[in-house]
Amino acid sequence: MQADFIEDASARAAWLRAELNRHAHAYYVLDNPSIPDAQYDKLFLELSTLERLHPELCCADSPTQRVGGAPLPQFAAVRHSVPMLSLGNGFDDADILAFDRRVRDGLHAESDVEYATELKFDGLAINLRYENGVLAQAATRGDGATGENVTVNIRTIRAIPLRLRMENPPAVLDVRGEVLMFKADFARLNARQREAGLKEFANPRNAAAGSLRQLDSKITSQRALRFYAYGVGLLEGAAMPDSHAGLLDWFDAIGMPVCKERAVVKGAQGLLGFYREIGEMRASLPYEIDGVVYKVNRLAEQQRLGFVSRAPRYALAHKFPAQEAMTVVQDIGVQVGRTGAITPVARLAPVSVGGVTVTNATLHNEDEVRRKDVRIGDTVIVRRAGDVIPEVVAIVPELRPVDAREFLMPAACPVCGSAIVRSEDEAVARCSGGWIKCAAQKKGGLLHFVSRRAMDIEGLGEQLVEQLVDKHVITTAADFYKLGLMSLAALERMADKSAQNVLNALEQSKSTTLARFIYALGIRHVGEATAKALARHFGRMDGVMDASEEALLAVDDIGPVVAASILQFFADPLNRELVEQLRAAGVHWPEREAMPLEAGAVGVASATSAASPLQGKTFVLTGSLPNLTRDAAAAMIEAAGAKVAGSVSKKTAYVVAGEDAGSKLAKAQELGVTILDEAGLTELLKGVS
């Protein structure tokens, strides 16, 4: 009985991970949220609870182990010196009392703890790096470890000082804060968009994110963006204030914008008092907020409390209740995802919820539709919390019309006509057509293949991939490498130069890593962490493809569900043929023989065992390498057991320097750190393999 329960929990956890990753990508990368914050938080809480009850279900690629999502390919990657973590959430008084109790227990405090309280802005998190008092770099949060370089656009925000207002600035200061757009500025921007016949922004957060991610900084400069600082990443060459409130006061003194709506309070009742005070003035604030933030004020106490996997123990975000409205379900359709997942979507009569007009709500799966008993024609309560697409909270039974119709899951895929099937152990129905027959799956799979974390092929975005599929130019990922200048230049919005840039990116992508290649194949349940584990464990692609279930289960963090998915993928001759076609097209990666078994061990020993001479050593990457992207080089280094840091110190073992290497190279030379070029790095890693 217990085994059955665990198996069900494993399937549920796998579904939750897939859903949360999908929604995180839509929110953080595409700036096009697919569900409201409240629903995401609910799914996240369920997954966290499952993993706490069954630790064996927790894996390295779980959303609970990471923050956010990946950077957009148009911007250079920036590796944060100190990870940009997110905060845990509280929703009611009981959550806040529990947070305060955990803090007091952790500090062994006999009296009320002192907290710094501030606002939770609905904008875009940014890290500003100042070197010797001058703004040197700005990067988005990205996935928490690596963000997007938006320095040129950040410089257009007048509120952000280009030089700190102080005589003896620190050598390095990473300021953490939020870029946002005020409500009045948002209204003026949308008015200009309407007058120009352009698409309006859904809300101030999307407007801020879209403005900051413009490739043309002149456009950004025309947008009224603001910034508020709320924290620090790295500080070198100056004394850190002893409290968070003192840090914000210091920021204010050196010319860094900080929000005046902040306070220092004592104990849980002080926290709740601040929450209610801000809640009363929320509507009159000039910007959008979706809650408040509590932090233990004394930095020494913060250090004593430390962190859990993705969030600090000393801080909490207290969310405001989601905003709700009533509307009518005019229809229920379905969407087809990359893995063939069929998602019911409620088509709503347009309704304004918190100032945003919404027309769609994701219903997740057929069971969710049945559980909430949502029917076409029903009046429903919809909820949003700063997002475009709301959740259907509940129906209003007394307003149900006599002709309300139940939703029927279609028998055939609306895109390709293949049968829709649902496994007994899954809540999600799927199109059975696969990549070959179903254009929706094909487009989703191909977009995944070219994405930054996979093959990282810049220029192959959604519109271009859709054209290539719709015009039957490409059928599989191998067809990307058969594209020519004429076939690309003939597409809409493509000129010779743009087409040549895509061809150059394709050529560059041929040199990759085994982990990236495995991830790019889009095997169900195989995320980045699992792909890295497979690459470390087997060393060769053939080893992965030919692995038995027993061998797969010997890999760290791979359980029966993931093993079955990998076996099923490589049991399909078309998938094996795809791998061979990609190899024939010139896609390659470093390979090594599987490590021999240790006495009494099961499976293949990890390549990152203690035998690796690079185990635990620190590398720093700087400048542009001729053939490898920054992420590809980092993946190769990590696969050898080493780690990649963002700044040079006495602990740095190697600096890998490319073209336009800057201050990191100079510091490495000053400290006598070994400096490698790309060829030297490749040779070093080859020797380790």
Side-chain angles (χ1 to χ4, degrees):
M1 185 70 178
Q2 182 67 13
D4 292 341
F5 177 75
I6 295 293
E7 187 176 8
D8 291 341
S10 177
R12 180 64 178 172
W15 179 83
L16 287 167
R17 283 194 294 269
E19 284 294 287
L20 287 166
N21 283 331
R22 180 168 67 85
H23 296 314
H25 179 79
Y27 186 93
Y28 290 105
V29 179
L30 304 180
D31 295 320
N32 185 27
S34 52
I35 59 171
D37 283 350
Q39 180 63 22
Y40 184 94
D41 294 335
K42 181 180 176 182
L43 295 174
F44 190 94
L45 179 61
E46 182 182 354
L47 180 58
S48 300
T49 303
L50 270 177
E51 291 179 349
R52 188 176 69 251
L53 293 174
H54 308 292
E56 71 277 11
L57 298 181
C58 186
C59 56
D61 63 339
S62 172
T64 62
Q65 306 301 304
R66 57 171 280 172
V67 182
L72 289 174
Q74 291 94 330
F75 297 94
V78 173
R79 203 170 189 86
H80 300 304
S81 299
V82 177
M84 296 185 70
L85 300 179
S86 61
L87 300 178
N89 293 321
F91 301 96
D92 52 33
D93 289 6
D95 292 337
I96 308 313
L97 295 174
F99 165 69
D100 177 61
R101 184 170 59 252
R102 290 194 302 272
V103 168
R104 285 188 286 109
D105 290 346
L107 296 174
H108 305 290
E110 297 181 359
S111 58
D112 284 343
V113 174
E114 186 177 83
Y115 294 97
T117 59
E118 53 197 298
L119 306 186
K120 186 177 183 300
F121 302 107
D122 197 12
L124 192 69
I126 292 291
N127 183 86
L128 304 178
R129 166 155 291 203
Y130 287 84
E131 296 179 356
N132 298 313
V134 178
L135 180 64
Q137 187 182 76
T140 62
R141 182 203 299 264
D143 64 2
T146 304
E148 304 157 336
N149 189 331
V150 291
T151 309
V152 175
N153 289 349
I154 280 290
R155 289 179 184 277
T156 69
I157 301 177
R158 296 180 182 276
I160 295 176
L162 299 180
R163 181 184 291 274
L164 298 177
R165 195 171 58 202
M166 57 192 309
E167 291 185 2
N168 298 303
V172 177
L173 171 62
D174 281 350
V175 178
R176 303 281 167 81
E178 199 95 354
V179 169
L180 64 156
M181 183 175 288
F182 280 18
K183 296 174 184 175
D185 296 323
F186 171 70
R188 284 190 284 269
L189 173 60
N190 267 351
R192 292 199 303 271
Q193 294 289 103
R194 284 194 300 272
E195 290 171 5
L198 300 174
K199 180 180 177 183
E200 294 183 44
F201 290 96
N203 53 46
R205 181 198 176 275
N206 280 29
S211 300
L212 194 59
R213 284 171 164 149
Q214 291 290 329
L215 296 179
D216 184 355
S217 60
K218 293 179 182 178
I219 297 177
T220 307
S221 67
Q222 296 167 5
R223 308 279 173 84
L225 297 177
R226 317 291 181 105
F227 174 82
Y228 286 128
Y230 54 61
V232 66
L234 183 68
L235 175 60
E236 294 180 350
M240 182 79 77
D242 62 1
S243 70
H244 182 72
L247 174 68
L248 297 184
D249 289 341
W250 181 55
F251 279 163
D252 190 32
I254 63 177
M256 191 62 58
V258 290
C259 179
K260 65 179 181 179
E261 308 298 342
R262 62 185 194 274
V264 175
V265 303
K266 290 285 190 72
Q269 293 309 312
L271 297 177
L272 294 173
F274 180 79
Y275 174 81
R276 293 180 181 118
E277 178 184 346
I278 296 300
E280 291 176 359
M281 66 171 66
R282 180 185 182 189
S284 62
L285 291 172
Y287 38 72
E288 295 282 359
I289 62 172
D290 55 7
V292 297
V293 174
Y294 309 138
K295 297 175 183 174
V296 172
N297 192 33
R298 297 293 166 187
L299 301 189
E301 293 180 345
Q302 290 186 7
Q303 292 178 353
R304 285 170 58 190
L305 290 167
F307 299 82
V308 291
S309 60
R310 71 182 287 273
R313 290 190 177 94
Y314 56 80
L316 188 76
H318 191 174
K319 294 286 196 74
F320 287 128
Q323 300 174 72
E324 297 180 345
M326 286 199 308
T327 188
V328 174
V329 177
Q330 296 179 326
D331 196 5
I332 299 178
V334 296
Q335 291 179 343
V336 186
R338 175 175 68 86
T339 63
I342 305 295
T343 304
V345 177
R347 312 297 183 191
L348 307 171
V351 62
S352 178
V353 186
V356 175
T357 300
V358 294
T359 57
N360 295 300
T362 300
L363 293 170
H364 304 295
N365 55 62
E366 189 175 10
D367 290 346
E368 181 80 354
V369 179
R370 302 284 175 253
R371 185 179 68 80
K372 292 182 176 177
D373 191 24
V374 181
R375 303 184 186 183
I376 300 167
D378 271 342
T379 296
V380 294
I381 299 170
V382 294
R383 175 187 294 162
R384 67 171 292 273
D387 293 62
V388 177
I389 300 179
E391 67 166 328
V392 174
V393 180
I395 64 168
V396 184
E398 58 270 24
L399 297 181
R400 170 170 286 171
V402 294
D403 59 348
R405 294 178 288 123
E406 290 190 17
F407 166 71
L408 296 176
M409 177 64 75
C413 171
V415 176
C416 70
S418 299
I420 290 177
V421 296
R422 177 178 171 183
S423 302
E424 292 182 1
D425 59 346
E426 281 198 319
V428 179
R430 298 182 186 276
C431 164
S432 61
W435 276 37
I436 302 301
K437 290 188 63 178
C438 185
Q441 293 184 63
K442 186 178 299 179
K443 291 173 183 176
L446 292 171
L447 282 168
H448 172 79
F449 182 85
V450 303
S451 65
R452 187 174 186 86
R453 294 299 180 185
M455 297 302 290
D456 190 18
I457 305 173
E458 189 169 348
L460 280 173
E462 184 174 355
Q463 290 184 345
L464 184 55
V465 170
E466 284 194 359
Q467 284 191 70
L468 291 169
V469 173
D470 292 342
K471 294 179 183 295
H472 307 290
V473 178
I474 58 174
T475 301
T476 73
D479 294 334
F480 282 127
Y481 297 97
K482 301 173 186 176
L483 291 172
L485 185 64
M486 296 299 293
S487 59
L488 280 171
L491 299 174
E492 295 178 16
R493 300 182 180 179
M494 285 292 287
D496 286 354
K497 184 178 179 180
S498 300
Q500 187 59 56
N501 288 340
V502 171
L503 294 178
N504 293 342
L506 281 163
E507 188 63 30
Q508 187 177 15
S509 75
K510 289 180 181 180
S511 178
T512 185
T513 65
L514 179 56
R516 278 180 172 271
F517 184 77
I518 294 170
Y519 176 62
L521 292 175
I523 306 168
R524 196 163 162 234
H525 301 314
V526 175
E528 288 180 76
T530 303
K532 288 180 181 179
L534 288 165
R536 285 195 303 266
H537 193 91
F538 292 105
R540 304 175 67 89
M541 190 65 213
D542 289 340
V544 178
M545 292 196 295
D546 298 334
S548 65
E549 181 180 16
E550 181 183 10
L552 289 169
L553 291 174
V555 181
D556 291 341
D557 297 325
I558 289 186
V561 173
V562 179
S565 181
I566 296 170
L567 288 170
Q568 182 181 17
F569 184 87
F570 289 116
D572 188 335
L574 291 175
N575 291 329
R576 286 179 168 268
E577 183 183 344
L578 173 63
V579 172
E580 297 311 317
Q581 288 179 348
L582 288 165
R583 280 170 160 165
V587 179
H588 61 280
W589 50 85
E591 289 199 335
R592 57 167 176 76
E593 294 298 329
M595 296 292 287
L597 291 175
E598 296 178 2
V602 177
V604 183
S606 170
T608 58
S609 66
S612 170
L614 297 182
Q615 180 72 30
K617 292 191 179 296
T618 301
F619 284 66
V620 172
L621 299 167
T622 181
S624 302
L625 300 178
N627 300 303
L628 291 172
T629 64
R630 186 75 64 91
D631 285 346
M636 292 167 62
I637 291 167
E638 290 166 352
K643 57 184 178 181
V644 179
S647 59
V648 179
S649 70
K650 292 180 180 179
K651 296 181 180 179
T652 304
Y654 299 95
V655 167
V656 182
E659 188 178 351
D660 297 327
S663 59
K664 294 177 185 177
L665 176 58
K667 189 167 185 179
Q669 292 168 334
E670 178 186 332
L671 295 174
V673 175
T674 301
I675 298 169
L676 303 172
D677 58 9
E678 182 181 303
L681 172 66
T682 304
E683 190 65 27
L684 177 66
L685 297 178
K686 189 184 299 182
V688 172
S689 297

